[in-house]
Amino acid sequence: MDGTAGRDGANQQHDGPPQGARPQWFADPAQGPGIDTAAVAALAEERLDFRFKAIPAEAHGRTVRDWLADGPTLDGLGTPLLTLDAAALDHNLRTMAAWCEQAGVLLAPHGKTTMAPALWQAQLAAGAHAITLANLPQLRVARAFGVRRLLLANTLLDPAGLAWLSAELDRDPGFAFTSWVDSADSVRQMDAALRAAGAQRPVEVLVELGGPGGRTGARGVPAALEVAAAVHAAPTLRLAGVGGYEGALAHDAGDAALATVRGYLADLADLHRRLAADHPTATPVVTAGGSAYFDTVAEELAPLAEQVPGTRVIVRAGAYLAHDDGFYRGISPLARAAAATPLRSAMHGWARVVSHPEPQLSLLDAGKRDLPFDEGLPEPQLVRGGGPLNGAAVTALNDQHAFLREAGAAAPVGAVLRLGLSHPCTAFDKWSLIPVLDHADAEHPRVVDLVRTYF
């Protein structure tokens, strides 16, 4: 696992065709590392200071590389704290890559989960086809680090953003990009903005299919076909395939939820087959699959590779890398399938008991500003130096405090607790620099890396 500590300069690589070469399209085979490894490696030279709340004051003024060379440990870090586990990250990378290969699908992990170029680099090195992102600011971060292949799981309508995107595509023929459209209106607005920007290279788009009560996406296959027709009529756009997000239609793994997901995916497959003859590419894309139902996506969509020759089936799971001890622990396909290799939680919170005002109430120094809470509250796991913490629960979070109940004397004032967390998508955004431990279960975990995020 390579974080901000970077790589040896001799291994820094830049991929993509030279200026004047044929433009790369999104479904083309990936070339090289897919990211500017020199830019990622340069993060090791960043100076540590007050901006990074995970870093102790004694490290201020030093570079990331220099501080890590001293072999810091968890004992030297303060609370509140979020850490990553190197062993779990590596396990999750290898497990997901092996699953995708066996399932016959490509992976474009959702980079918004971490917004960490070093982790994107690790995902690409493990075989990811592209990085998925959600909005324009995230795209700019990715391009600042030279990410070569980007999928925007959203519709980009901002004229200034489209002008920037057009300039990036025209400047760099090795940059491959695609985004979603779900209406003729969005197609017309994109086309007008790109014409105004003087776009020379068409922007690839995927027709997004939605579902009743869901999020964005054309409602129904007939409506989606109309969107595709509008794309064909827009000279600044190029139809690359179809896509959508089944996770907006279900939130558990019960029979009814899975039936809803399968019904949606059947419609997405139908749309892809109907558009097969109209694609200007021999490698049309069909993409779905967040972190909760990527197994069902593979079951329903992978057959399209034979039904529509050249089809690239892409899943976009992003939470798999950090996984969790909450929502995804229960709903991940690799947790639900008995024969699967399960993912491991690679993120933990650390908090100190700062008050014990009542016999069964303790207050911790970590709150909503530090830890995720939207898909489940933190779970007490152990007291450092004191063993497992059984029977206790965090029942509420304030901005800067957690309410711990039923811990009693096992969590006295000053005790440091390790907390299991739920939902990595709202964990990384609270930390601009995250320590990576060699193993969170060790008696004295070592800090082996620092992961820089950009939210």
Side-chain angles (χ1 to χ4, degrees):
M1 169 58 59
D2 226 48
T4 57
R7 301 176 182 227
D8 186 276
N11 292 328
Q12 292 167 8
Q13 303 176 57
H14 302 270
D15 65 320
Q19 292 291 334
R22 182 186 72 83
Q24 291 289 293
W25 301 111
F26 183 77
D28 287 345
Q31 300 178 14
I35 192 170
D36 186 344
T37 59
V40 176
L43 292 172
E45 308 309 322
E46 188 165 20
R47 294 278 172 185
L48 300 171
D49 58 28
F50 65 90
R51 294 170 297 162
F52 308 120
K53 64 182 183 179
I55 305 304
E58 61 88 17
H60 290 182
R62 305 185 66 185
T63 66
V64 169
R65 186 189 306 279
D66 288 345
W67 186 64
L68 289 175
D70 283 350
T73 67
L74 179 63
D75 301 305
L77 303 181
T79 55
L81 183 65
L82 177 79
T83 63
L84 297 173
D85 186 297
L89 289 173
D90 181 66
H91 167 83
N92 293 345
L93 273 173
R94 290 185 288 104
T95 298
M96 191 65 183
W99 184 90
C100 287
E101 183 176 6
Q102 183 176 8
V105 299
L106 297 174
L107 175 64
H110 216 319
K112 74 180 175 80
T113 301
T114 67
M115 287 306 296
L119 296 181
W120 297 345
Q121 178 174 287
Q123 291 172 304
L124 291 165
H129 179 75
I131 297 296
T132 299
L133 294 169
N135 61 30
L136 178 62
Q138 293 171 7
L139 291 178
R140 291 200 293 256
V141 172
R143 288 302 289 159
F145 284 88
V147 179
R148 286 277 175 200
R149 196 177 308 276
L150 293 170
L151 191 164
L152 181 67
N154 209 334
T155 300
L156 181 59
L157 295 181
D158 172 54
L162 286 166
W164 169 82
L165 173 65
S166 174
E168 286 289 290
L169 289 167
D170 291 344
R171 176 185 63 81
D172 183 359
F175 174 34
F177 172 85
T178 189
S179 68
W180 291 355
V181 289
D182 71 353
S183 70
D185 284 342
S186 61
V187 169
R188 283 190 289 268
Q189 290 185 39
M190 287 185 73
D191 182 51
L194 290 167
R195 285 171 183 259
Q200 299 175 30
R201 180 177 164 191
V203 173
E204 289 191 280
V205 293
L206 305 174
V207 174
E208 181 194 2
L209 182 69
R215 206 161 61 187
T216 54
R219 295 307 198 246
V221 171
L225 292 171
E226 293 178 4
V227 178
V231 172
H232 286 309
T236 63
L237 301 179
R238 182 177 191 262
L239 186 63
V242 301
Y245 178 50
E246 76 293 336
L249 305 175
H251 204 67
D252 59 62
D255 290 344
L258 292 176
T260 297
V261 169
R262 289 189 187 278
Y264 166 76
L265 294 171
D267 287 343
L268 188 62
D270 180 45
L271 174 62
H272 184 70
R273 286 189 291 265
R274 292 196 190 197
L275 290 174
D278 298 329
H279 283 295
T281 173
T283 54
V285 168
V286 56
T287 176
S291 296
Y293 306 108
F294 55 79
D295 59 335
T296 308
V297 169
E299 291 170 7
E300 296 293 328
L301 299 185
L304 289 170
E306 293 185 1
Q307 298 169 11
V308 182
T311 293
R312 304 291 192 259
V313 180
I314 300 177
V315 297
R316 305 188 307 275
Y320 77 91
L321 183 57
H323 198 47
D324 70 6
D325 282 310
F327 178 71
Y328 287 112
R329 175 182 62 192
I331 202 171
S332 168
L334 302 186
R336 291 187 274 111
T341 299
L343 300 169
R344 302 175 188 167
S345 179
M347 64 175 186
H348 298 93
W350 304 85
R352 193 179 309 268
V353 178
V354 294
S355 179
H356 197 351
E358 300 172 13
Q360 297 304 323
L361 173 64
S362 301
L363 280 300
L364 312 180
D365 64 352
K368 293 179 180 179
R369 303 293 179 91
D370 312 299
L371 306 175
F373 58 92
D374 59 314
E375 290 287 358
L377 293 171
E379 296 182 356
Q381 293 182 334
L382 58 82
V383 177
R384 287 212 68 202
L389 189 59
N390 299 316
V394 172
T395 58
L397 292 182
N398 289 160
D399 282 358
Q400 313 292 173
H401 292 93
F403 287 72
L404 176 70
R405 296 189 182 275
E406 306 304 324
V413 170
V416 174
L417 277 60
R418 191 181 80 188
L419 304 171
L421 305 177
S422 179
H423 200 201
C425 295
T426 53
F428 283 73
D429 63 307
K430 297 170 174 58
W431 299 84
S432 53
L433 199 60
I434 305 174
V436 181
L437 307 178
D438 57 348
H439 204 302
D441 288 332
E443 184 177 357
H444 297 286
R446 292 185 302 110
V447 180
V448 295
D449 211 341
L450 295 171
V451 167
R452 186 70 156 92
T453 67
Y454 293 88
F455 284 92

